[in-house]
Amino acid sequence: MAGNTFGDFFRISTFGESHGKAIGVIIDGCPSKIDIDESFIQAELDKRRPGQSRITTQRKESDTVQILSGTFQGQSTGTPISILIPNEDQRSKDYSHIQDKFRPSHADYTYQTKYGLRDYRGGGRSSARETAARVAAGAIAKLVLKRQGIEIFAHVSGVGSIEAPNLDGSQLSDLLEAREDNIVRCADPATAKEMESFIDTVRKNGDTVGGRISTIVRNVPVGLGEPVFDKLHADLAKAIMSINAVHGFEYGSGFEGSQMLGSAHNDIFIKADEGVKTLTNFSGGIQGGISNGMDITFRTAFKPVATIMRDQETIDAAGNQTTISGKGRHDPCVVPRAVIIVEAMTALVLADHLLKYKAYLNNAT
Amino acid sequence: MAGNTFGDFFRISTFGESHGKAIGVIIDGCPSKIDIDESFIQAELDKRRPGQSRITTQRKESDTVQILSGTFQGQSTGTPISILIPNEDQRSKDYSHIQDKFRPSHADYTYQTKYGLRDYRGGGRSSARETAARVAAGAIAKLVLKRQGIEIFAHVSGVGSIEAPNLDGSQLSDLLEAREDNIVRCADPATAKEMESFIDTVRKNGDTVGGRISTIVRNVPVGLGEPVFDKLHADLAKAIMSINAVHGFEYGSGFEGSQMLGSAHNDIFIKADEGVKTLTNFSGGIQGGISNGMDITFRTAFKPVATIMRDQETIDAAGNQTTISGKGRHDPCVVPRAVIIVEAMTALVLADHLLKYKAYLNNAT
Amino acid sequence: MAGNTFGDFFRISTFGESHGKAIGVIIDGCPSKIDIDESFIQAELDKRRPGQSRITTQRKESDTVQILSGTFQGQSTGTPISILIPNEDQRSKDYSHIQDKFRPSHADYTYQTKYGLRDYRGGGRSSARETAARVAAGAIAKLVLKRQGIEIFAHVSGVGSIEAPNLDGSQLSDLLEAREDNIVRCADPATAKEMESFIDTVRKNGDTVGGRISTIVRNVPVGLGEPVFDKLHADLAKAIMSINAVHGFEYGSGFEGSQMLGSAHNDIFIKADEGVKTLTNFSGGIQGGISNGMDITFRTAFKPVATIMRDQETIDAAGNQTTISGKGRHDPCVVPRAVIIVEAMTALVLADHLLKYKAYLNNAT
Amino acid sequence: MAGNTFGDFFRISTFGESHGKAIGVIIDGCPSKIDIDESFIQAELDKRRPGQSRITTQRKESDTVQILSGTFQGQSTGTPISILIPNEDQRSKDYSHIQDKFRPSHADYTYQTKYGLRDYRGGGRSSARETAARVAAGAIAKLVLKRQGIEIFAHVSGVGSIEAPNLDGSQLSDLLEAREDNIVRCADPATAKEMESFIDTVRKNGDTVGGRISTIVRNVPVGLGEPVFDKLHADLAKAIMSINAVHGFEYGSGFEGSQMLGSAHNDIFIKADEGVKTLTNFSGGIQGGISNGMDITFRTAFKPVATIMRDQETIDAAGNQTTISGKGRHDPCVVPRAVIIVEAMTALVLADHLLKYKAYLNNAT
């Protein structure tokens, strides 16, 4: 109820503040006998880690995962897997200046009003640092999905007004390689260069910029998703919208599709060697809320980071007008690090629906 | 789990197929002593009812609500309110022709594969008829919110490539009046005319078209929404994306905001007579997942209706290529009727969060 | 949250008051392709129906089930099954005399205080009439369990101080036959006679008496139940304790076992043709919260019915002392009708856990 | 779903195995601004700690609590409170002898069969060590309840066939003092002596014995508990039955009440200075599933500890007959340490219902 738990079957609960002792997650519902590859979990976290390039915050965190429970002799036991990520570089003094001021477009004001107090150090619980716990849990979800051959790929498809060309149908492994080849995490090298230099300019101006991430999920069996309220795309929307700074979500044809005619938008079914396919995929791999076996595709919009290295007008706790100066260490653009968070949330939704699917499938036949 | 239940505190469960005996809803968690105005519930349903104008399906349904439980002497008792809406005009023969064929961009194929059978009459459970039950429940949620002064307004802001100008800050009651003045349910009279004639053309061509709905929620107290996963906008996104045909959701600055710089996007806090306000509202009334007292604003994209009055290629249950011809009675554009569904789902999310907010508020002070 | 929903996967929501238009239930999560035998559902309800013998309330209700949704051509479709049971014999005048008085050991006072109003007619929502909806849902759960060969049997093992001998290991079908052979629903004919004449005496005195029900569940596969909080016996305890008038629950060795030594209580594992068994079954078929393949056994205590045909002291809504006289039509002893309710709640718990078990099993291997 | 989470509003998730790195708990939903007294939490844990007397296991664990998140400047912030309890004395070698054998009346066989593997060291997740995490969370729940004046008291009312006299209506603080005066935790000094010497004898014989715990909750406002399925006593039953070794639960008149006549069992309402009371309290402070303001009373039965210091017949993983010898360090009788676990689970249920109560109360008036 209090909002720190996600999922029904493959359920995670995260905890921890930006500048507390540690952050972490409990995964309740990971099936037993999954090989838990710690190096993979660490590798996933490293993609989200601060300080990985000049266009990310310079905060120093090794983000080293400690698995405290739920595994035995390298495999999941079916009991809760708890993962701890200690906070190292806290520099709480950096934040004393915002103790009594509300940063524009941050959660300071709403937290203070809702709870009557707040851990103001680095945004406390509202800090995007919480997403490191999601990435760790998402890595385990990916290990569950891998056994079904389900693959997830996300990349930066837009920064400011720069837009990458649509991805062709190539292997996700190739796209992944291309993406990791540049610090923006865009699978199109030419666009990546453009984005990189633009982010540099923005950073030098002490400003920030928003961006977009596109996701493809491949090899999802037909039947994932529940009708009516728990449609697969509805659960994906909630999962993705719950990531800090996300302001928009669309799947398949999305907002553009709302301008189209039905005669152009309908996906015609055809018989293919691998079974039923559709000629087009405006449905984004989901029909009636249930996966239809085609690629699941969606796109996410991130607002610009609220912390800018400039003076801004605001009010203090007493309600008086004041000025706040940007300090601390922040990202000029979040999308390069957010790519892995989007993949993690996607994996969590799919792992949860995969278990639901099997619960009923078992009985339907 | 099976996806027909929505909400935690103010929880609804809907049931019923398009051509079964009835559809309906149970509302579990409506506080006691709410005046249950049946005529208001009926009036809400009438806005969703088929056959209300030439640009909606001509299926004849009076959609008369029957309250079976949960009220006593005109007030809610705190026990489950169950509402029944009998199906009248069923014409099941209309659907025999699709018994063994999968309609393009419908849920026929995914339901058949997931469940091993389906009620093919009018889409059965996947029919948008299910949303009548949501509207009835949403009407009761609105009665709960009304006591807090919370107002919800949605209208058609786009049809095809036609886009209405942004709404000014006028009274929601005035906008409501303007909206109900035309059959498209757009609060801008000039744009409404344009949309209406465009939908007429589309209909005459046996085609359909998509559209967009914009929503404003006013007078929400500061503090609704839970941090991390159950952010207010994340729950709104899930609720809205669960409506048939919705392909996109954005709040506040949305996708456009992802092109902006932080220096332009940040909402500056100011001191106002009514308390703290922000100069701009790119945050859409929600910061850190929690309402900040400003108007909550979001926009929704609907794909074009899949049923068109034309022949289309498809496959049958046996996997053979075949042709399907559009029959039955359908809407050329869903958004005029969907406006009330969007309001209903919005009300359900807010009523649920209002109760959560009070549970914790009680204890925080 | 509001307490009218039970189960996660095989989830039911009941609604309706004793003297409202109807009571009913929605079953959300019944797997598809289950043969829905309406005559079986009706037969189950007939065992709970009032007026079935001289030792039950003489209220006249046919309790005729109407299935409104979720089935197609005789099978479940995987969508919500909604069942309606209209109230026929309401006699609301019977209850005007308690409108402003609190009946001793009834829910009148707590409901009035919690909700600020109550439907006082026949106890409204707190009436045991609500359990008819549970029996209907339980019948469908039994149809799901039947496919796995799981059998549930309950009977009246105690009335007042009369106690039936422990059941031997005979076929449940034989026990069922013996049970239905008498109006008390005790599988031991001799004890049944004794109970019957005792209840007659109690009834003639205008009094009521409590009793006990014993349950056996057979052919449960090893592995149902989740560790820690959702232990199989913990979920059974909640389900059974939620039945009106239940004051106690014990499984396996129960309270008696708490007087034993470990050396006598431990169930020794042995190798048997049908697999692993235990020599004794003090564990009641559940170890560590998980079914071990042996018979699941538990016992339930019911308090005497609160409504007696005598004058009693009490207070009115204004807090003044007054007298209340027993009126209306009530059972001198509930256990003969409660047997089927205990079976229904047991079936609901097992169906829910069966689906959970399969969700994880799928992945564990 | 996987059973390691308890509660809706005041929700805990526990993790950790007996011989892993640590055990712990996340509390999600603790209201903000609660003074978090760490010394109180530690004091509660010390009452459950092993090695506290000669009649408890001699395993050495300091059970030192580490709060990792959710508090700021000594108060709860409304964000998840995570508590870590490192495992110190692990002695895993003690358990190699049961790696391939199933201990009678333990969870070895069911875990192995359900999950396909198990952490056999000290019972892994099925070890009662998990309850230390519940006690830590329960301590915080008690701090929440304390602000409402709600008091919880449990003590050992039975060991083997020894039964303590019923508690009189004295102050709970006095009873608490009397209870902590002896190592059995029975509030009746004479009975405590008797129990103590009996447990000594049992221990010297390498055997174990079961027992009973009685609980009183005082100053609960009228209105806690939800009708139908989430009755207050039903949720208490589930919570208590989920504690290792519990085989029975009864509230108010319990099993004895099932032998009584209604005329003797009904609790007559009277007008008292402090408001409405009942002359007797066979209802155990709960009517229709909702607290009525009287003392809430219930009793719990614990089976004898399964691990005895004797040789027992059993089978191994291969299904062959074998012998297992009792080793390791275990309690001859669990109830003295379980008292605090029963209090903790009671506090968790009440804190959860208190928040629910306030969510709806807010709106009912």
Side-chain angles (χ1 to χ4, degrees):
Chain A
M1 300 300 100
N4 298 282
T5 297
F6 184 81
D8 294 319
F9 255 60
F10 194 93
R11 169 181 286 169
I12 71 167
S13 301
T14 70
F15 64 88
E17 283 80 35
S18 173
H19 288 61
K21 290 181 186 159
I23 61 171
V25 62
I26 295 181
I27 299 137
D28 191 15
C30 181
S32 61
K33 299 184 91 171
I34 302 280
D35 296 313
I36 302 301
D37 177 350
E38 291 201 36
S39 63
F40 173 70
I41 302 169
Q42 189 62 60
E44 291 284 286
L45 269 167
D46 292 347
K47 292 179 182 148
R48 198 213 71 96
R49 208 182 63 230
Q52 61 185 276
S53 81
R54 72 178 185 284
I55 62 168
T56 66
T57 167
Q58 294 310 300
R59 176 175 178 174
K60 292 270 168 293
E61 289 288 357
S62 70
D63 283 355
T64 310
V65 295
Q66 299 175 13
I67 298 183
L68 298 180
S69 69
T71 63
F72 190 57
Q73 299 170 339
Q75 288 193 310
S76 61
T77 60
T79 65
I81 299 173
S82 55
I83 298 179
L84 202 70
I85 304 170
N87 290 327
E88 296 162 351
D89 177 6
Q90 304 180 7
R91 298 226 205 134
S92 297
K93 56 177 160 22
D94 276 4
Y95 294 97
S96 52
H97 67 295
I98 58 166
Q99 173 167 358
D100 301 317
K101 294 178 179 178
F102 301 132
R103 292 169 297 167
S105 291
H106 272 278
D108 302 341
Y109 169 67
T110 51
Y111 268 62
Q112 183 69 46
T113 309
K114 183 183 181 73
Y115 297 112
L117 83 168
R118 75 183 204 274
D119 180 346
Y120 54 78
R121 301 167 303 160
R125 183 67 179 157
S126 69
S127 165
R129 177 145 186 73
E130 180 271 340
T131 58
R134 305 187 188 200
V135 170
I140 289 176
K142 284 181 176 181
L143 294 173
V144 171
L145 297 171
K146 199 175 150 198
R147 295 202 317 183
Q148 312 284 328
I150 298 172
E151 296 179 284
I152 299 168
F153 169 79
H155 84 130
V156 172
S157 56
V159 169
S161 55
I162 305 168
E163 193 75 22
N166 286 335
L167 296 171
D168 56 18
S170 38
Q171 292 298 317
L172 296 191
S173 51
D174 300 345
L175 294 174
L176 184 60
E177 205 172 295
R179 180 191 86 184
E180 290 303 311
D181 231 33
N182 62 77
I183 60 177
V184 182
R185 290 211 168 84
C186 171
D188 183 68
T191 317
K193 273 202 177 37
E194 208 185 332
M195 292 170 167
E196 192 175 322
S197 60
F198 178 59
I199 295 174
D200 274 330
T201 319
V202 167
R203 180 170 55 85
K204 294 195 184 94
N205 298 340
D207 211 337
T208 60
V209 66
R212 293 162 299 284
I213 290 175
S214 295
T215 307
I216 301 176
V217 189
R218 198 157 281 177
N219 305 324
V220 178
V222 184
L224 265 60
E226 299 300 326
V228 188
F229 298 110
D230 299 346
K231 291 181 164 82
L232 188 54
H233 57 268
D235 281 351
L236 283 168
K238 171 168 176 164
I240 299 298
M241 295 293 294
S242 78
I243 300 171
N244 310 47
V246 173
H247 268 230
F249 175 91
E250 59 182 9
Y251 85 102
S253 61
F255 276 87
E256 246 180 72
S258 73
Q259 302 201 8
M260 296 171 68
L261 295 174
S263 52
H265 191 275
N266 282 353
D267 295 319
I268 300 305
F269 286 110
I270 54 164
K271 202 173 169 176
D273 305 343
E274 336 79 299
V276 172
K277 300 272 160 212
T278 60
L279 271 179
T280 49
N281 187 20
F282 291 114
S283 301
I286 302 172
Q287 294 179 324
I290 299 166
S291 59
N292 70 355
M294 299 292 289
D295 286 357
I296 292 175
T297 62
F298 57 85
R299 207 165 72 107
T300 311
F302 288 77
K303 70 164 189 170
V305 173
T307 302
I308 56 178
M309 298 301 107
R310 300 178 177 190
D311 288 0
Q312 297 177 92
E313 289 302 299
T314 188
I315 59 169
D316 60 23
N320 303 319
Q321 292 298 137
T322 175
T323 304
I324 194 161
S325 320
K327 278 198 200 147
R329 299 141 298 169
H330 296 275
D331 298 81
C333 183
V334 292
V335 284
R337 290 173 62 203
V339 160
I340 198 70
I341 305 167
V342 167
E343 285 188 354
M345 292 310 297
T346 304
L348 290 168
V349 170
L350 290 170
D352 199 30
H353 273 283
L354 183 66
L355 295 177
K356 288 182 186 180
Y357 165 77
K358 293 193 166 179
Y360 292 119
L361 180 70
N362 252 324
N363 292 271
T365 52
Chain B
M1 299 301 99
N4 298 283
T5 297
F6 184 80
D8 294 318
F9 255 59
F10 194 93
R11 170 181 286 169
I12 70 166
S13 300
T14 71
F15 64 88
E17 284 78 36
S18 174
H19 287 61
K21 291 179 186 162
I23 61 170
V25 61
I26 295 180
I27 298 137
D28 190 15
C30 180
S32 61
K33 300 185 90 170
I34 302 281
D35 295 315
I36 302 301
D37 176 350
E38 291 203 36
S39 62
F40 174 70
I41 301 169
Q42 189 62 60
E44 291 284 285
L45 269 166
D46 291 347
K47 292 178 184 151
R48 199 213 71 95
R49 206 183 63 230
Q52 60 184 276
S53 82
R54 72 180 185 282
I55 62 167
T56 64
T57 166
Q58 294 311 301
R59 177 176 177 170
K60 292 269 168 294
E61 289 289 358
S62 69
D63 283 355
T64 310
V65 293
Q66 300 175 12
I67 297 182
L68 298 180
S69 69
T71 64
F72 190 57
Q73 298 169 340
Q75 288 194 309
S76 61
T77 59
T79 65
I81 300 173
S82 55
I83 298 180
L84 202 68
I85 305 170
N87 290 327
E88 295 161 353
D89 176 5
Q90 303 180 8
R91 297 228 205 135
S92 296
K93 57 176 158 24
D94 276 4
Y95 293 97
S96 53
H97 66 295
I98 57 165
Q99 175 166 358
D100 300 316
K101 294 178 180 179
F102 300 133
R103 292 169 298 167
S105 292
H106 272 279
D108 302 340
Y109 170 67
T110 51
Y111 269 63
Q112 184 69 45
T113 308
K114 182 183 180 74
Y115 297 112
L117 82 170
R118 75 183 206 275
D119 180 345
Y120 54 79
R121 300 167 303 162
R125 183 67 179 156
S126 69
S127 164
R129 177 145 186 75
E130 180 272 339
T131 58
R134 305 188 188 199
V135 169
I140 289 177
K142 284 181 176 181
L143 293 173
V144 171
L145 297 171
K146 200 174 148 196
R147 295 202 316 180
Q148 312 284 328
I150 299 173
E151 295 179 283
I152 299 168
F153 170 80
H155 84 131
V156 172
S157 56
V159 169
S161 57
I162 304 167
E163 193 74 22
N166 286 335
L167 297 170
D168 56 17
S170 40
Q171 292 299 315
L172 296 189
S173 50
D174 300 345
L175 294 173
L176 184 60
E177 205 172 294
R179 179 192 86 183
E180 290 303 310
D181 233 31
N182 63 79
I183 60 178
V184 181
R185 291 211 168 83
C186 171
D188 183 69
T191 317
K193 271 200 178 37
E194 207 185 332
M195 292 170 167
E196 193 175 320
S197 61
F198 178 60
I199 294 173
D200 274 329
T201 318
V202 167
R203 182 170 54 85
K204 291 189 186 101
N205 297 339
D207 210 338
T208 61
V209 65
R212 292 162 300 285
I213 290 175
S214 295
T215 308
I216 300 176
V217 189
R218 197 158 281 176
N219 304 326
V220 178
V222 185
L224 265 60
E226 299 301 324
V228 187
F229 298 111
D230 298 345
K231 291 181 163 83
L232 188 55
H233 56 268
D235 281 351
L236 284 168
K238 171 169 176 163
I240 301 298
M241 295 294 294
S242 78
I243 300 171
N244 310 45
V246 173
H247 268 229
F249 175 91
E250 59 181 9
Y251 84 103
S253 61
F255 276 88
E256 244 180 76
S258 72
Q259 301 201 9
M260 295 172 68
L261 296 175
S263 53
H265 191 275
N266 283 352
D267 294 319
I268 301 304
F269 287 109
I270 55 164
K271 204 173 168 176
D273 305 342
E274 337 78 298
V276 173
K277 298 273 161 209
T278 60
L279 272 179
T280 49
N281 187 20
F282 292 114
S283 300
I286 302 172
Q287 293 179 322
I290 299 166
S291 59
N292 70 355
M294 298 292 288
D295 286 357
I296 293 175
T297 61
F298 57 86
R299 206 165 72 106
T300 310
F302 288 76
K303 70 164 188 170
V305 173
T307 303
I308 56 178
M309 298 301 107
R310 301 177 177 191
D311 288 0
Q312 298 178 91
E313 290 300 301
T314 189
I315 59 171
D316 60 23
N320 303 318
Q321 293 299 136
T322 176
T323 303
I324 194 162
S325 320
K327 281 199 197 143
R329 300 141 299 170
H330 296 275
D331 299 82
C333 182
V334 292
V335 283
R337 291 172 62 204
V339 160
I340 198 70
I341 305 166
V342 167
E343 286 188 351
M345 292 310 297
T346 303
L348 290 167
V349 170
L350 290 171
D352 199 30
H353 273 284
L354 182 66
L355 294 177
K356 290 181 187 181
Y357 165 78
K358 293 193 167 177
Y360 292 119
L361 181 69
N362 254 323
N363 291 271
T365 50
Chain C
M1 301 300 101
N4 299 282
T5 297
F6 184 81
D8 294 319
F9 255 59
F10 194 93
R11 170 180 286 169
I12 70 167
S13 300
T14 71
F15 64 88
E17 284 79 35
S18 173
H19 288 61
K21 291 179 186 161
I23 60 169
V25 61
I26 296 180
I27 299 137
D28 190 15
C30 181
S32 62
K33 301 183 90 170
I34 302 279
D35 296 315
I36 301 302
D37 176 351
E38 290 203 35
S39 63
F40 173 71
I41 301 169
Q42 189 62 61
E44 291 284 286
L45 269 167
D46 292 346
K47 293 181 183 148
R48 197 213 73 93
R49 207 182 62 228
Q52 61 183 277
S53 82
R54 72 179 185 283
I55 62 169
T56 65
T57 168
Q58 294 310 301
R59 177 175 177 172
K60 294 269 169 292
E61 289 290 356
S62 69
D63 284 354
T64 310
V65 295
Q66 299 176 13
I67 298 182
L68 298 181
S69 68
T71 64
F72 189 57
Q73 299 168 341
Q75 288 194 310
S76 61
T77 59
T79 65
I81 300 173
S82 55
I83 298 179
L84 202 70
I85 304 170
N87 289 328
E88 296 160 351
D89 176 6
Q90 303 181 7
R91 298 228 204 133
S92 297
K93 56 177 161 21
D94 275 5
Y95 293 97
S96 51
H97 66 295
I98 57 166
Q99 173 168 358
D100 301 318
K101 294 177 179 179
F102 300 132
R103 292 168 299 166
S105 291
H106 271 280
D108 303 340
Y109 170 66
T110 51
Y111 268 63
Q112 184 68 46
T113 309
K114 183 183 180 74
Y115 297 112
L117 83 169
R118 73 183 205 276
D119 180 345
Y120 54 79
R121 300 166 303 159
R125 183 68 179 155
S126 70
S127 164
R129 177 144 186 77
E130 180 272 340
T131 59
R134 304 187 188 200
V135 169
I140 288 175
K142 284 180 175 181
L143 293 174
V144 172
L145 297 170
K146 198 174 150 198
R147 295 201 317 180
Q148 313 284 326
I150 298 173
E151 295 179 284
I152 298 168
F153 170 79
H155 85 130
V156 172
S157 56
V159 169
S161 56
I162 305 168
E163 193 75 22
N166 286 335
L167 296 171
D168 57 17
S170 38
Q171 293 298 317
L172 296 190
S173 51
D174 299 345
L175 294 173
L176 184 60
E177 205 173 295
R179 179 191 86 183
E180 290 303 311
D181 232 32
N182 61 78
I183 60 178
V184 182
R185 292 211 167 83
C186 170
D188 183 68
T191 317
K193 273 202 176 36
E194 208 185 330
M195 292 171 166
E196 192 175 320
S197 60
F198 179 59
I199 294 174
D200 275 329
T201 319
V202 167
R203 181 170 54 86
K204 293 192 185 97
N205 297 341
D207 211 338
T208 61
V209 66
R212 293 162 299 286
I213 290 175
S214 295
T215 307
I216 301 176
V217 189
R218 198 157 281 177
N219 304 326
V220 178
V222 185
L224 265 61
E226 298 301 325
V228 187
F229 298 110
D230 298 346
K231 292 181 164 83
L232 187 55
H233 56 269
D235 281 351
L236 284 167
K238 170 166 176 166
I240 300 298
M241 295 293 294
S242 78
I243 299 171
N244 309 47
V246 173
H247 268 229
F249 175 91
E250 59 181 9
Y251 84 103
S253 60
F255 276 88
E256 245 179 76
S258 72
Q259 300 201 9
M260 295 172 68
L261 296 175
S263 52
H265 190 275
N266 283 353
D267 295 319
I268 302 304
F269 286 110
I270 55 166
K271 203 173 169 177
D273 305 343
E274 336 80 300
V276 172
K277 298 273 160 211
T278 59
L279 272 178
T280 48
N281 187 20
F282 292 113
S283 300
I286 302 172
Q287 294 179 323
I290 298 165
S291 60
N292 70 355
M294 300 292 289
D295 286 357
I296 292 175
T297 62
F298 57 85
R299 207 165 73 107
T300 310
F302 288 77
K303 70 164 188 170
V305 173
T307 302
I308 57 179
M309 298 301 107
R310 300 178 176 189
D311 287 1
Q312 298 178 90
E313 290 300 301
T314 188
I315 59 170
D316 60 22
N320 303 317
Q321 292 299 137
T322 176
T323 304
I324 193 163
S325 319
K327 279 200 199 144
R329 300 140 298 169
H330 296 275
D331 299 82
C333 184
V334 290
V335 282
R337 291 172 62 205
V339 160
I340 198 70
I341 306 166
V342 167
E343 286 188 353
M345 291 310 297
T346 304
L348 290 168
V349 170
L350 289 170
D352 199 31
H353 273 284
L354 183 66
L355 295 177
K356 289 182 187 180
Y357 165 78
K358 293 194 166 176
Y360 292 119
L361 182 70
N362 252 325
N363 292 271
T365 51
Chain D
M1 299 303 99
N4 298 283
T5 296
F6 185 80
D8 294 319
F9 254 60
F10 193 92
R11 170 180 286 170
I12 70 167
S13 300
T14 70
F15 64 88
E17 284 80 33
S18 174
H19 287 62
K21 292 180 186 160
I23 61 171
V25 62
I26 295 181
I27 299 136
D28 190 15
C30 180
S32 61
K33 299 185 93 171
I34 302 281
D35 295 315
I36 302 302
D37 176 349
E38 290 203 35
S39 64
F40 173 70
I41 302 169
Q42 189 62 60
E44 291 285 285
L45 269 166
D46 293 346
K47 292 181 183 147
R48 199 214 70 96
R49 207 181 63 229
Q52 60 183 278
S53 82
R54 72 178 184 285
I55 62 168
T56 65
T57 167
Q58 294 310 300
R59 177 176 177 172
K60 294 269 168 294
E61 289 288 357
S62 70
D63 283 354
T64 310
V65 295
Q66 299 174 13
I67 298 182
L68 297 181
S69 70
T71 64
F72 189 57
Q73 298 168 341
Q75 288 193 310
S76 60
T77 59
T79 65
I81 300 173
S82 55
I83 298 180
L84 202 68
I85 304 170
N87 291 327
E88 296 160 352
D89 176 7
Q90 304 180 8
R91 298 227 204 136
S92 296
K93 58 178 157 22
D94 276 4
Y95 293 96
S96 53
H97 67 296
I98 58 166
Q99 174 167 0
D100 301 316
K101 295 177 178 178
F102 301 133
R103 292 169 298 167
S105 291
H106 273 279
D108 302 341
Y109 170 66
T110 50
Y111 269 62
Q112 183 71 45
T113 308
K114 183 182 180 75
Y115 297 112
L117 83 169
R118 75 184 205 273
D119 180 345
Y120 54 79
R121 299 167 304 160
R125 183 68 179 156
S126 70
S127 165
R129 179 147 185 73
E130 180 272 340
T131 59
R134 305 188 187 198
V135 170
I140 289 175
K142 284 181 176 181
L143 293 173
V144 171
L145 297 171
K146 200 174 148 198
R147 295 202 316 182
Q148 312 283 328
I150 299 172
E151 294 179 285
I152 299 168
F153 170 80
H155 85 129
V156 172
S157 56
V159 168
S161 56
I162 305 168
E163 194 74 22
N166 286 335
L167 296 172
D168 56 18
S170 38
Q171 292 299 315
L172 296 190
S173 51
D174 300 346
L175 294 173
L176 184 60
E177 206 172 293
R179 180 191 85 183
E180 290 303 311
D181 232 32
N182 63 77
I183 60 179
V184 182
R185 290 210 169 83
C186 170
D188 182 68
T191 317
K193 272 202 178 35
E194 207 185 331
M195 292 170 166
E196 191 176 323
S197 60
F198 178 60
I199 295 173
D200 275 329
T201 319
V202 167
R203 182 171 54 85
K204 292 192 185 97
N205 297 339
D207 211 337
T208 61
V209 66
R212 293 162 299 285
I213 290 175
S214 295
T215 307
I216 301 176
V217 189
R218 197 157 282 176
N219 304 326
V220 178
V222 185
L224 266 60
E226 299 301 325
V228 189
F229 298 111
D230 299 346
K231 291 181 163 83
L232 188 55
H233 56 268
D235 281 352
L236 284 167
K238 171 169 176 163
I240 300 298
M241 294 294 294
S242 78
I243 300 171
N244 310 47
V246 173
H247 268 230
F249 174 91
E250 59 181 9
Y251 85 102
S253 61
F255 276 88
E256 248 179 73
S258 72
Q259 302 201 8
M260 295 172 68
L261 296 174
S263 52
H265 190 275
N266 282 354
D267 295 318
I268 301 304
F269 287 109
I270 54 165
K271 204 172 167 175
D273 305 343
E274 337 79 300
V276 172
K277 298 274 161 210
T278 61
L279 271 178
T280 49
N281 187 20
F282 292 113
S283 300
I286 302 171
Q287 294 180 322
I290 298 166
S291 59
N292 70 354
M294 299 292 288
D295 286 358
I296 292 175
T297 61
F298 57 85
R299 207 165 72 106
T300 311
F302 288 76
K303 70 165 189 170
V305 173
T307 303
I308 56 178
M309 297 302 108
R310 300 178 177 191
D311 287 1
Q312 298 178 93
E313 290 301 299
T314 190
I315 59 170
D316 60 23
N320 303 317
Q321 293 299 137
T322 175
T323 305
I324 194 162
S325 319
K327 282 199 197 146
R329 300 141 299 168
H330 296 275
D331 299 80
C333 183
V334 292
V335 282
R337 291 171 61 202
V339 160
I340 198 70
I341 304 166
V342 167
E343 286 188 353
M345 292 310 297
T346 305
L348 290 168
V349 170
L350 290 170
D352 199 30
H353 273 284
L354 182 66
L355 294 177
K356 289 182 186 180
Y357 165 77
K358 293 194 166 176
Y360 292 119
L361 182 70
N362 252 324
N363 292 271
T365 50

